[in-house]
Amino acid sequence: MPQNKRQEVIFAGMMSFFMVLGMEFYNGSLQLGAWTTEVFGLMASEIRLMLPLCFFISFFVVEKRVQSLSVRMVTPGKAHPVFVTLVRAGITVSFMCPIMSLCATLIFQGISVNIINQWLGTVIRNFPMAFFWQICYCGLLVRCLFRKLFAGTAQKQTSERTDSAEMG
């Protein structure tokens, strides 16, 4: 969907924001034992740290690997676009959830003798939510918002390509 580097940064920022938001609501509710208004205070304090971390890891560490693996599994243009999107989202969550769970474990629980068990417990608890949040809600929302934000850009680029092809 993004057509240039600027759009890639914006898309990654939007996706990071909504993923972190959803996961902070989820983990805050688990931590407090219920969905209450206290979750908002807990989430607000943690999102300031987790959002830039998520963006940095997804954009600079994981993105190229996800792109490479997803192209090996499905070929854009040959496979149905929904299938391409699902494969890409699944691979992204498969990388990001363990990495972000490790970061959260280190930040919020510290380093201890049980770090591996704490980290694996965090991954097991977070992966189903991260996967379904990404596939069913977050991914759809971000792609919809992104298309609306750049609706004129896609049309402009298409007409520019058509104009240059007619001239050449």
Side-chain angles (χ1 to χ4, degrees), residues 19-77:
M19 280 303 294
V20 169
L21 186 68
M23 295 307 295
E24 286 298 327
F25 277 132
Y26 173 72
N27 282 303
S29 296
L30 288 178
Q31 186 176 345
L32 296 174
W35 177 267
T36 65
T37 55
E38 293 174 31
V39 170
F40 291 99
L42 183 64
M43 181 213 63
S45 67
E46 292 179 2
I47 201 168
R48 282 182 252 150
L49 179 60
M50 299 308 283
L51 179 58
L53 190 60
C54 179
F55 175 81
F56 180 83
I57 291 168
S58 67
F59 193 77
F60 294 107
V61 177
V62 171
E63 177 57 30
K64 288 187 189 223
R65 289 173 180 87
V66 168
Q67 177 71 22
S68 174
L69 282 173
S70 63
V71 169
R72 286 185 204 167
M73 296 178 83
V74 291
T75 306

Side-chain angles (χ1 to χ4, degrees), residues 33 100 138:
M100 290 302 294
C138 180

Side-chain angles (χ1 to χ4, degrees), residues 15 18 32 48 63 67 81 85 94 113 116 139:
M15 191 64 76
F18 285 107
L32 296 174
R48 282 182 252 150
E63 177 57 30
Q67 177 71 22
T85 300
S94 295
V113 177
I116 300 296

Side-chain angles (χ1 to χ4, degrees), residues 117-134:
N117 292 334
Q118 292 170 327
W119 170 59
L120 290 175
T122 304
V123 172
I124 290 166
R125 190 173 44 256
N126 284 333
F127 190 84
M129 176 60 179
F131 182 79
F132 288 107
W133 175 242
Q134 171 57 239

Side-chain angles (χ1 to χ4, degrees), residues 1-2 6-7 10-11 14 18 139-156:
M1 282 182 39
R6 179 177 156 267
Q7 288 182 8
I10 292 169
F11 185 83
M14 291 170 65
F18 285 107
L140 296 172
L141 174 65
V142 169
R143 284 187 292 279
C144 178
L145 291 173
F146 186 83
R147 282 188 192 110
K148 288 184 184 219
L149 186 63
F150 291 102
T153 307
Q155 292 172 350
K156 183 179 174 185

